[in-house]
Structure formats: C-alpha cells, structure tokens
C-alpha cells in the first residue's frame, strides 16, 4: 500500500481538512507507513487489507481527537526526546490505595509536584472481573473504569488536570489476555465464531499437551498448567496466567485492529504512556516457551507506527521481565532497531541493587552491567527499585560464574536473605512462588522492610535506623542516577512505608502475599515529611534532593549510555556517563563501613578535582557507609 492510498483511507473518515493539517498528516504517513507495513507483512498474509482498515481506524480517531491533544502531538513531534529528559521522574501508585478515587488523585497533584514528578503510572484501573482479578490485570472492559474509582469522564478530567501541571499519565494495557467476562469472551462462550477466533480454543488435549511440553508455569502454586477446560465453549482455552484470564489470539488481525482502536480511544481521553502488560507472551509457537517470539516485535512495531500517525504524543512501555539478551529486543534490534517500544523496565538494574546490598559486593553488579546490551539512543529504560510485583532473582549463571559465584547458590542466598532467614540479615520479606525445577523462589516485601528499616525500628537502635535510611537512599541514588531512562518511585517508598501484614485479613488478597508491599498511602506519615528528625523527613527529602540534582544535570539525558567500571574495591560501584558537557562518574559504597575514596580510578577517567553534583560540594576524602556521589571535574 502506498502513502496516497493510506492517506485517502484516513481522510475518508475525517471530512474536510485544512491545508496545514493535511500536510502534517501526509508527512506522518510518509514517515511511518513503511514501518507499519513491514510489521504487518511479517505477521499477516493479508497485510494490505489490514493496513486499509488501520487507515480507517486512525481516521476515525483523528476526527475525534481533542484540539489540546493535537497541540501536544505537534509539540512531541518537535521534541521526540521528551521522555528522555533529565527532569522526567516517575511515580507508581494504585489509585484507591493512594487517594481513594481518580478525583482524589487530582487533589494530591501538589504532593507529586513537590517531589518533582513528571510521569504518573496509575496501576490497573480499567474495569476488572469481579472476585479474583490478578490485581486488576484481568480486564472485563477496557472502556470502563472501576466504579469505586470513578468514571471514564473522571479519568479524562484527571488526564487534563495532570497535563496542565506537566505530568504525563501512564496506564496499563493488558495485551496477552482478557478476563473470561470480557465482551469478546462472552461472545465466544455464546458460540459466536468471530469471537471464538479471538482466542485459542482446542477441542481436545492433543495440541495443549504438545504445547505444555515446553511451556513454563507462571503461577505454579495456584494456577498450574496453561490451559483450562471451559464447559460453555466446549474446549480447552489457553490461559497462561489464571483460568479466568483468556489469552487472545494475535495471529488474528481482528485482534490487532481491536487493540489499535482501544489505544487510540484511550489516547483521546488523554493517556500519554501505555504500559504494554504481558507483551512477551503475545505470540505462540509450538516447541518454544511462547515468549519473546519475533512476531511480538513485528506487531509492536506495527502498533507503534500506527499510533505515531494517529496520536504522536503517545509512548509505549514494554512490561517485559525477561533475560537481558531477550529484553533489548523490546526497544528494538536489527530491522526493529528503535521502532518498537519507547521504554522498557531495567529489571537487571533492580535485581543487582538488591543483590549488592545483601552481599556488600559489587563485582556481580559490574559484570552484569558490562555484559548488558546497549539500547537504541532514541529509547529509555524505566529504572526502579520496587514495584507492585514480586522480585524474581534474575541472576545470570554466566555472570555469576564470571565472578566466581554459583548462579543457583546466589539466587538461593538472596531469597533466604530477603526473607530474613540468612544469619545477619537486616531484611523482612516473604517467599513468593517457587520453581519446582530450579528451586528458585521469588520475594515479596516493601523497600523499607527489605532494606532493614522494619528490623531497625523494632530494635530502636539509632545506628541501625541510620544505616537502614542510608541503605534506602543509596539504592534510590543508583536507579535515579543511572541516567538511561525514567526513574520510577514506588508509592510509599519516599516515606519509608513498611510491609503491610494486614493483607491476610482481606479475602481477595489473603492468598497473594504481593499485597505485603501494596500498602495504603499513609497521609499522616506524609505530613511528617515536614518534621525534621523523622524517618519520613529524612527519606522524602533525601530522594527529593536526588531528583532535583538529576533534573539539573545534562549528563542524565537518557540518550547517553552508562558504563560500569572495574576497580579493585569490591564494595564500590562506579558508573560512567560520557557527555559533550563533561564526563560524569558515579561512586556508590555498598557497605556499612567507611571506604577509601577511589582517587586513582577517577584520575584514570580524567577527574582529578572531583566535585559532587548531588551536594554541590568538593568530594570528601573518604566514603562514609552507603555513600553516593555523582562526580565531575571541578572547574578550575
């Protein structure tokens, strides 16, 4: 399909266009149609016919796109690095647990701005199924909001309010599955052949058993297997995550068109970033683990290209918690380089921060980062310390062996340490799930409790409390200062909220200990951020200081890569960022002990008069416990 035909298909849905808008849209079609067609052709034999329908979907959406969002589109076209800028700081929260309702979130925008937030990810808020719903990821209707949170009008109003304050809203869009109660699944259960084709439904166990030979189990404890018999459809339905979450069939182009229309519809409500949930699972291939298949990236490229034409202000974030060698493909490799998701989670960085805090040794951290693939310069990582999910101890056996460790043994150590079972551990957490094949166990727990604050407060020992606070701030400094993306603060971490053991008293939560680290926001504690000497004041202002420093440092722009440096002290982590305005070297002490300042390592990088950009003072003569420094050469 050529640009003229595609544009005509769009324009046919839009009515009369003025000359300027016509030229703008034609330019977008010219830029992104080749990427759209390449993605579609890699997946669908009938790609030209699908593209014609894509044009119609985009045209209908553009005809309804509000003027202020069209203005934002134009601004983003001219500032495509908007999400890479040093002042882009994120915050993750559940709407109800943060502020009760969407209107309540609007009442706390001042709090977010005080911290320096420019990006707000509200956890699943679209209508889920009743009862068990995987924390909201079993969506029953993408076009409705959970009634207790508000309405779609409330969501649109909140997006507008945030936009006026310079904050972009990120929303979850589950790509791999819908709830059994979703209209598509309801129609399939009623026998509609069109909607049966939206899912993987098998009359007997022949194909499911063949697939199961190579499929892992996501939740082996409470959702074993990947297929569920359904009496209404008289077949085995593919259900990767839970029996009531039906995997959708992306090999059917109707599914692609449905999701494109949903994305553009929500974008017209003001959503600026879509977290593409469970993206790694969206293509199935017999004889594989049905994750990270090449078609996933072709589909994402096609979706992104279509959305770049219809809503250029929008960015995609891939929720792909996979091995580094697979993760980089979600930002683009080969023919997809820089053409798929704009953002992806840097899971390795998160895991290695916790690993080094437990071991007080950074050699594995340095090794893992040195072997980590470099991203396309037009993309960014979402860097983080904690989120709503458990921690999977994704320690590479190759990296572990390179520094003299056993991968399985180190993973076992970490799961024991962060449960609090390892001798001398400062942590309080819980095991979440276990892999019966490998023996690996994941971990639940809040940042503060895993970092030792809960244990320290119980002891009442001032030094232990101080060390726990410094540990929390060190960990935040590493992912905030990493510099290749948007740092995401998880709700309550800025105040040191501890594990919430009350989750066991809620019937919908009691069997899922991830609710241990999903506490309700404590606004009484938040007020203590203004009281010097309190835990809340120390953490909040410590993190705020880091974010303010990051915002004023040009070296933090996400287009520039970060390199881990080898140096002889195993307690120190050194990260280097090259930039036209000067080299930046970050120094972190992962131990409770004072450490010699690494003058020689800095001299090798051309920094002989180190100046700390966090405190804006010359570097100290030695490193205190959990010290964190962002150093440049001090101008003479």
């Amino acid at each position: 399909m050529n640009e003229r035909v595609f544009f005509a298909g769009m324009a046919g849905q839009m009515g009369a266009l003025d000359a300027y808008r016509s030229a703008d849209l034609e330019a977008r079609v010219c830029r992104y149609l080749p990427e759209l067609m390449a993605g579609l052709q890699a997946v669908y034999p009938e790609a030209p016919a699908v593209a014609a329908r894509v044009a119609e979907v985009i045209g209908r959406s553009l005809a309804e796109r509000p003027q202020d969002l069209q203005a934002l589109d134009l601004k983003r076209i001219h500032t495509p690095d908007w999400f890479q800028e040093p002042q882009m700081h994120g915050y993750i929260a559940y709407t109800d647990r943060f502020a009760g309702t969407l209107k309540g979130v609007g009442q706390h925008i001042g709090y977010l701005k005080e911290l320096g937030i420019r990006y707000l990810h509200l956890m699943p808020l679209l209508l889920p199924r009743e009862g068990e719903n995987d924390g909201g990821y079993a969506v029953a209707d993408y076009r409705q909001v959970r009634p207790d949170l508000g309405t779609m009008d409330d969501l649109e109003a909140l997006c507008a309010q945030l936009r006026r304050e310079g904050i972009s809203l990120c929303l979850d869009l589950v790509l791999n599955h819908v709830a059994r109660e979703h209209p598509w699944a309801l129609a399939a259960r009623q026998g509609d052949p069109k909607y049966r084709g939206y899912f993987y439904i098998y009359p007997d166990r022949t194909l499911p058993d063949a697939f199961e030979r190579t499929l892992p189990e996501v939740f082996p404890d409470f959702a074993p297997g990947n297929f569920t018999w359904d009496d209404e459809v008289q077949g085995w339905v593919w259900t990767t995550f839970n029996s009531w979450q039906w995997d959708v069939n992306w090999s059917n182009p109707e599914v692609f068109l449905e999701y494109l229309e949903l994305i553009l519809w929500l974008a017209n409500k003001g959503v600026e970033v879509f977290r593409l949930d469970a993206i790694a699972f969206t293509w199935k291939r017999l004889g594989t683990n049905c994750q990270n298949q090449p078609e996933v990236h072709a589909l994402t490229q096609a979706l992104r290209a279509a959305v770049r034409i219809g809503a250029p202000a929008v960015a995609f974030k891939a929720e792909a918690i996979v091995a580094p060698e697979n993760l980089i493909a979600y930002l683009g490799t080969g023919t997809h380089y820089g053409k798929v998701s704009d953002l992806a989670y840097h899971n390795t960085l998160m895991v290695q921060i916790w690993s080094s805090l437990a071991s007080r040794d950074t050699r594995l951290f340095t090794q893992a980062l040195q072997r980590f693939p470099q991203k396309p310069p037009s993309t960014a990582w979402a860097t983080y310390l904690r989120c709503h999910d458990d921690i999977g101890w994704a320690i590479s056996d190759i990296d572990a062996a390179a520094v003299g460790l056993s991968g399985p043994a180190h993973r076992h150590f970490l799961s024991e340490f962060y449960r609090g079972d390892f001798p001398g551990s400062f942590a309080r957490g819980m095991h979440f799930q276990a892999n019966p094949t490998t023996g690996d166990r994941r971990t639940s727990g809040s940042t503060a409790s895993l970092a030792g604050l809960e244990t320290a407060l119980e002891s009442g020992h001032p030094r232990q409390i101080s060390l726990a606070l410094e540990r929390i701030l060190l960990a935040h400094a590493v992912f905030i200062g990493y510099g290749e993306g948007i740092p995401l603060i998880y709700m309550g971490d800025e105040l040191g909220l501890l594990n919430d053991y009350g989750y066991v008293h809620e019937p919908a939560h009691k069997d899922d200990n991830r609710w241990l680290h999903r506490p309700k926001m404590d606004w009484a504690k938040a007020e203590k951020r203004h009281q010097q000497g309190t835990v809340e004041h120390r953490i909040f202002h410590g993190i705020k200081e880091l974010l303010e420093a990051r915002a004023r440092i040009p070296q933090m722009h996400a287009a520039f890569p970060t390199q881990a440096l080898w140096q002889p002290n195993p307690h120190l982590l050194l990260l280097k960022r090259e930039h036209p305005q000067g080299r930046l070297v970050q120094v972190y002490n992962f131990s409770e002990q004072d450490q010699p300042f690494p003058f020689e390592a800095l001299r090798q990088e051309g920094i002989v008069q180190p100046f700390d950009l966090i405190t804006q003072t010359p570097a100290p003569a030695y490193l205190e416990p959990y010290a964190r420094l962002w150093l440049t050469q001090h101008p003479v």
Side-chain angles (χ1 to χ4, degrees):
M1 173 176 286
N2 63 42
E3 289 92 344
R4 182 174 298 178
V5 173
F6 189 91
F7 179 76
M10 287 171 48
Q13 306 293 319
M14 299 174 64
L17 295 174
D18 59 60
Y20 179 82
R21 192 175 185 211
S22 177
D24 174 45
L25 293 177
E26 284 191 73
R28 280 145 62 174
V29 170
C30 183
R31 167 65 180 83
Y32 289 106
L33 183 59
E35 293 179 16
L36 171 65
M37 291 306 301
L40 293 177
Q41 288 166 349
V43 177
Y44 303 123
E46 63 275 51
V50 177
R53 293 181 62 191
V54 166
E56 294 174 359
V57 170
I58 294 174
R60 288 194 298 272
S61 174
L62 280 169
E64 299 173 355
R65 191 152 174 80
Q67 288 294 321
D68 63 331
L69 290 173
Q70 291 186 43
L72 184 62
D73 288 337
L74 186 61
K75 181 179 178 181
R76 295 274 167 83
I77 288 170
H78 290 289
T79 54
D81 65 340
W82 63 275
F83 59 89
Q84 296 182 296
E85 294 175 346
Q87 64 269 30
M88 282 300 293
H89 307 141
Y91 193 84
I92 311 171
Y94 284 94
T95 301
D96 54 341
R97 302 182 93 73
F98 179 66
T101 65
L102 291 168
K103 289 181 179 178
V105 172
Q107 294 167 5
H108 290 289
I109 290 176
Y111 176 82
L112 298 174
K113 291 191 70 177
E114 180 186 345
L115 193 57
I117 299 303
R118 297 282 303 277
Y119 164 114
L120 174 62
H121 174 196
L122 292 179
M123 298 295 291
L125 53 80
L126 301 178
L127 183 68
R129 71 189 297 271
E130 293 184 7
E132 292 181 289
N133 56 48
D134 191 19
Y137 289 102
V139 180
D141 194 335
Y142 289 100
R143 296 177 186 265
Q144 292 188 57
V145 169
R146 267 175 49 188
D148 61 312
L149 303 181
T151 65
M152 190 56 69
D153 287 343
D154 293 333
L155 177 61
E156 188 170 10
L158 176 61
C159 287
Q161 188 179 357
L162 290 167
R163 191 161 58 250
R164 287 191 296 270
E165 298 292 341
I167 301 175
S168 299
L169 183 73
C170 173
L171 196 67
D172 292 272
L173 186 76
V174 185
L175 294 183
N176 179 69
H177 48 265
V178 298
R180 185 177 181 271
E181 294 76 12
H182 189 280
W184 304 341
L186 288 174
R189 287 158 55 192
Q190 292 164 3
D192 188 323
K194 173 185 175 180
Y195 289 101
R196 283 181 70 97
Y198 280 32
F199 302 97
Y200 298 93
I201 302 173
Y202 303 98
D204 56 43
R205 287 291 307 189
T206 303
L207 275 173
D209 286 344
F211 276 108
E212 287 281 21
R213 294 187 188 104
T214 54
L215 287 177
E217 294 177 322
V218 177
F219 297 131
D221 287 0
F222 51 76
N226 289 274
F227 298 87
T228 301
W229 175 262
D230 189 276
D231 287 333
E232 288 184 77
V233 298
Q234 283 296 292
W236 291 92
V237 182
W238 200 313
T239 55
T240 296
F241 288 85
N242 286 286
S243 61
W244 27 263
Q245 288 170 297
W246 287 19
D247 288 34
V248 294
N249 182 2
W250 280 86
S251 68
N252 181 345
E254 296 295 331
V255 169
F256 178 92
L257 292 163
E258 292 272 19
Y259 273 96
L260 174 60
E261 188 170 349
L262 280 169
I263 291 170
L264 292 174
W265 185 79
L266 288 165
N268 280 357
K269 301 298 181 185
V271 178
E272 297 181 31
V273 182
F274 287 91
R275 177 184 179 273
L276 305 179
D277 185 75
I279 188 174
F281 298 83
T282 50
W283 193 266
K284 321 300 186 186
R285 175 170 280 111
L286 190 64
T288 73
N289 65 358
C290 294
Q291 296 180 42
N292 311 308
Q293 299 302 302
E295 290 83 355
V296 171
H297 311 303
L299 286 166
T300 310
Q301 175 176 307
L303 272 179
R304 179 181 179 271
V307 173
R308 280 290 195 271
I309 297 170
V314 166
F316 283 174
K317 178 171 65 175
E319 189 269 331
I321 309 302
V322 297
E325 57 269 24
N326 294 321
L327 175 60
I328 195 63
Y330 291 87
L331 295 179
T333 57
T335 59
H336 302 301
Y337 188 79
K339 299 176 184 177
V340 283
S341 295
D342 305 288
L343 297 147
Y345 288 99
H346 202 315
N347 182 59
T348 293
L349 185 69
M350 179 273 295
V351 168
Q352 292 297 339
I353 292 171
W354 289 111
S355 172
S356 290
L357 284 175
S359 66
R360 285 78 161 177
D361 191 316
T362 63
R363 287 173 293 185
L364 178 60
F365 201 156
T366 301
Q367 165 66 23
L369 289 185
Q370 286 213 332
R371 208 169 63 87
F372 198 82
Q374 187 171 318
K375 67 174 183 61
S378 60
T379 64
W381 295 114
T383 61
Y384 64 109
L385 182 63
R386 285 300 290 117
C387 66
H388 73 290
D389 222 341
D390 58 278
I391 301 174
W393 297 111
I395 300 295
S396 160
D397 289 346
I398 295 173
D399 289 334
V403 294
L405 297 174
S406 159
H410 192 64
R411 291 191 292 272
H412 179 77
F413 157 70
L414 292 173
S415 66
E416 290 297 293
F417 186 96
Y418 283 107
R419 190 172 185 266
D421 288 345
F422 193 84
S425 170
F426 48 69
R428 291 278 180 85
M430 291 184 178
H431 291 322
F432 177 78
Q433 302 285 334
N435 185 319
T437 303
T438 65
D440 289 347
R441 291 167 298 186
R442 288 130 70 182
T443 297
S444 293
S446 72
T447 286
S449 292
L450 294 178
L453 184 59
E454 183 176 334
T455 302
L457 289 172
E458 287 180 1
S459 74
H461 196 289
R463 174 167 167 75
Q464 295 307 315
I465 294 172
S466 177
L467 287 174
L469 296 177
E470 294 300 319
R471 207 176 282 127
I472 291 169
L473 292 175
L474 167 72
H476 277 82
V478 177
F479 82 85
I480 289 171
Y482 188 71
E484 289 194 28
I486 302 176
L488 304 177
I489 309 297
Y490 184 58
M491 188 201 83
D493 283 359
E494 76 279 10
L495 301 171
L497 295 192
L498 304 176
N499 288 339
D500 178 11
Y501 298 100
Y503 79 91
V504 296
H505 302 303
E506 296 189 45
H509 299 166
K510 63 182 178 64
D511 295 324
D512 184 348
N513 69 26
R514 289 176 298 178
W515 289 99
L516 183 70
H517 52 261
R518 300 170 183 173
K520 291 182 179 179
M521 185 63 166
D522 190 329
W523 288 106
K525 280 185 172 292
E527 285 302 308
K528 292 182 180 179
R529 73 189 186 277
H530 301 305
Q531 302 174 23
Q532 290 195 11
T534 63
V535 164
E536 294 79 9
H537 181 274
R538 179 73 181 90
I539 298 176
F540 185 91
H541 287 277
I543 292 174
K544 183 180 179 182
E545 179 185 48
L546 292 168
L547 294 175
E548 288 175 343
R550 183 182 186 274
R552 63 176 178 259
I553 298 174
Q555 288 91 337
M556 293 297 186
H557 192 286
F560 298 91
T562 297
Q563 179 185 353
L565 301 176
W566 286 110
Q567 46 76 47
N569 189 333
H571 302 301
L572 304 186
L573 176 71
L574 270 64
L575 302 178
K576 178 175 73 171
R577 291 183 60 74
E578 297 284 5
H579 191 273
Q581 291 178 247
R583 182 174 296 157
L584 173 70
V585 176
Q586 301 169 17
V587 177
Y588 302 107
N589 177 10
F590 273 82
S591 80
E592 298 100 329
Q593 308 300 322
D594 291 346
Q595 297 295 327
F597 191 90
F599 285 109
E600 180 56 34
L602 285 164
R603 273 195 290 269
Q604 292 177 13
E605 299 301 327
I607 299 178
V608 295
Q609 290 182 305
F611 185 81
D612 180 26
L613 297 180
I614 300 175
T615 60
Q616 301 186 78
T617 61
Y622 65 94
L623 300 175
E624 295 182 345
Y626 300 117
R628 47 215 174 262
L629 305 169
W630 298 346
L631 303 170
T632 56
Q633 172 66 18
H634 195 286
V636 178

